[in-house]
Amino acid sequence: MSYGRNRQSLLSGPRSCPFFAVQTAARLPPHPDAPGPLVPWDETETETESGAPIMSYGPFFAAPEAVRYSPPGAPAADRTRPNPTTSPAVATTQLAPALYVFGDSLFDSGNNNFLPTAARANYLPYGANFVNRSTGRFTNGKTVADFIAEFLGLPYSPPFLSYKRDLLPLTGLNYASGSCGILPETGSPFGRCLNFEEQVGLFQDSVKSLQQRYFQILVDFSNYLSKSVFIVSIGSNDYINNYLETSLYDTSKRYTPQLFAQLLVYKLSQQLERLYNLGARKIVVFELGPIGCLPWITRNNKHTGQCVEDTNQIVSYFNNMLPAMLQNLTTSLKGSNFINGHGHGVGYDAIINPSKYGIADASNPCCTAFFNGTSGCIPYLRPCNNTNKHYFWDGYHPTEVVYSILASGCINNASFCTPYSLKDLVKV
């Protein structure tokens, strides 16, 4: 997801001049959790809210040579290694050779930093609770992709655009790009981003480079790809930055909600089949979250209750069509396992019944966001206290605690990620 309204304002002043953004923030009402006046973030601070030291800026991604994959049959010691980019609780044994990540800003780990776009998150308070602070993730800490990487015993998949083509790591890459979607035109008013077809094209380029660098025997490379895990979260922006943006797009006039969902699912299936033809076999595709509950939607539309249910209904057509499409791919493509990640139900329940998940605020963004809390975080302003008690980080994106809930469900529960949980998928 990414910024959806007041585009001209976002593309000018506040985005290009953080100081102006801070001055603007001083005129905004305080965040409901703010302990006092809004103040700029002091980047020299060395402690988090809990008092734990904050790691300074520095090298984030392990060098490719340090993360080589050992093919089956190698001594056990060669297949285990410390993982300096993850928490101490993470297992050091690799459960898969690599994690490849595709999607939008829910998964973007910094690709948009390298693109001419207004949709970026490479400044505080984004990354406020992350090991290396503002890497380009559109949240305060880890994403679902990061939690899955930890479970697999792998480093966080680095943004593809941060690497030279002949130096790609063997433990996976992240191709996700904020503001983009399944359709090529989605998100274009913000500048350049990578739509899903382009992301798969970059993976195709990666396949060639990886094979040339690491593998002399084709069957070993095929085995490596077939055992790797691929995760996809894409389509939210096709609604937020396209179908629901009637002043910029006419898709809602040309397509009923049902036909638009059908178009998205068809285009998505084409690229998923491309991934299969390139060697992917274990592919997890997450359904769309409760877009009608985003602050960008709830604060800009009249409604009763916690969410704008008409918007959730529009998105539900996509989610309802997704399982049959994934099952059809699994049936027709030999040796494939297309997993459906049911994130919508849990995400919605955590908004309607937040106390069940240890969340206190499921309505307000934790950071002080542009345009009455409906857009991205204003640069360098302190976020709310107790970030792990908030559902939303900004006007569009969840906090790390929500991503943790979703990732845990997919890792452990076969009714969340169907028909295999990730624990079971890595054994297939």
Side-chain angles (χ1 to χ4, degrees):
M1 305 177 195
S2 196
Y3 316 108
R5 289 198 177 185
N6 300 292
R7 283 189 171 87
Q8 294 305 315
S9 299
L10 284 171
L11 288 168
S12 57
R15 284 314 240 162
S16 58
C17 182
F19 176 76
F20 175 78
V22 172
Q23 299 293 18
T24 302
R27 299 192 295 271
L28 296 176
H31 191 284
D33 280 352
L38 296 173
V39 295
W41 194 301
D42 181 2
E43 291 195 68
T44 64
E45 292 176 353
T46 57
E47 291 188 349
T48 61
E49 293 173 358
S50 63
I54 292 176
M55 295 184 66
S56 61
Y57 290 90
F60 174 49
F61 305 115
E65 288 76 13
V67 293
R68 290 183 185 274
Y69 169 62
S70 298
D78 292 339
R79 299 199 304 272
T80 61
R81 56 170 179 75
N83 193 343
T85 63
T86 58
S87 65
V90 177
T92 57
T93 301
Q94 286 185 211
L95 301 180
L99 174 65
Y100 288 97
V101 181
F102 303 82
D104 51 32
S105 56
L106 296 176
F107 279 5
D108 190 350
S109 62
N111 280 305
N112 275 24
N113 296 349
F114 302 90
L115 296 171
T117 175
R120 291 186 180 178
N122 56 344
Y123 60 87
L124 289 170
Y126 289 107
N129 305 111
F130 193 68
V131 62
N132 267 52
R133 305 295 282 271
S134 306
T135 59
R137 288 163 169 80
F138 290 77
T139 185
N140 63 305
K142 291 177 265 191
T143 67
V144 169
D146 298 323
F147 284 109
I148 290 176
E150 291 183 349
F151 163 71
L152 296 174
L154 294 167
Y156 304 143
S157 300
F160 170 82
L161 295 181
S162 68
Y163 271 86
K164 294 181 180 180
R165 302 296 173 89
D166 59 343
L167 294 175
L168 299 180
L170 201 55
T171 50
L173 288 159
N174 186 314
Y175 304 86
S177 179
S179 80
C180 253
I182 298 170
L183 301 180
E185 65 271 21
T186 292
S188 57
F190 298 113
R192 185 77 172 89
C193 63
L194 305 174
N195 62 57
F196 191 40
E197 182 177 359
E198 290 175 315
Q199 293 177 33
V200 176
L202 292 177
F203 174 69
Q204 184 173 354
D205 293 340
S206 303
V207 166
K208 297 176 183 177
S209 299
L210 291 170
Q211 182 180 352
Q212 291 174 357
R213 182 173 187 192
Y214 294 107
F215 296 90
Q216 296 181 347
I217 303 174
L218 183 58
V219 68
D220 290 341
F221 186 52
S222 297
N223 184 57
Y224 156 82
L225 289 174
S226 68
K227 293 184 178 299
S228 295
V229 174
F230 295 72
I231 59 174
V232 179
S233 178
I234 195 85
S236 295
N237 288 322
D238 293 295
Y239 288 95
I240 296 172
N241 293 335
N242 189 328
Y243 194 76
L244 299 176
E245 275 288 3
T246 55
S247 62
L248 293 170
Y249 295 90
D250 65 350
T251 46
S252 61
K253 298 177 182 178
R254 293 188 289 118
Y255 298 96
T256 65
Q258 295 91 330
L259 288 178
F260 187 68
Q262 188 175 352
L263 171 67
L264 294 181
V265 170
Y266 171 70
K267 294 290 186 181
L268 176 64
S269 69
Q270 287 183 313
Q271 299 309 314
L272 293 176
E273 187 167 352
R274 255 183 93 193
L275 281 178
Y276 172 87
N277 291 332
L278 290 168
R281 294 296 181 267
K282 300 178 180 181
I283 305 175
V284 181
V285 183
F286 289 90
E287 63 187 13
L288 305 186
I291 291 175
C293 304
L294 301 179
W296 174 73
I297 294 290
T298 60
R299 296 187 180 200
N300 284 318
N301 295 275
K302 293 182 179 180
H303 65 286
T304 57
Q306 187 81 355
C307 305
V308 180
E309 298 300 348
D310 288 346
T311 301
N312 282 336
Q313 178 61 45
I314 290 173
V315 176
S316 72
Y317 296 115
F318 176 92
N319 289 338
N320 292 339
M321 294 179 188
L322 188 61
M325 181 269 281
L326 296 177
Q327 179 57 49
N328 181 61
L329 289 176
T330 299
T331 301
S332 60
L333 301 177
K334 183 179 179 181
S336 68
N337 285 284
F338 287 88
I339 309 301
N340 187 8
H342 295 282
H344 180 95
V346 172
Y348 182 79
D349 190 49
I351 292 172
I352 302 301
N353 303 295
S355 60
K356 287 172 53 178
Y357 303 86
I359 295 171
D361 188 329
S363 302
N364 301 298
C366 183
C367 78
T368 303
F370 287 106
F371 309 114
N372 190 34
T374 63
S375 193
C377 298
I378 297 176
Y380 307 118
L381 291 189
R382 285 184 176 278
C384 66
N385 294 323
N386 300 318
T387 56
N388 62 347
K389 295 293 184 180
H390 279 69
Y391 187 102
F392 292 106
W393 178 246
D394 61 13
Y396 300 91
H397 305 95
T399 57
E400 178 185 79
V401 68
V402 176
Y403 286 134
S404 176
I405 294 168
L406 298 175
S408 178
C410 188
I411 290 168
N412 298 296
N413 194 335
S415 64
F416 187 108
C417 275
T418 307
Y420 294 114
S421 68
L422 274 173
K423 276 187 176 179
D424 294 329
L425 183 64
V426 295
K427 300 174 185 177
V428 174

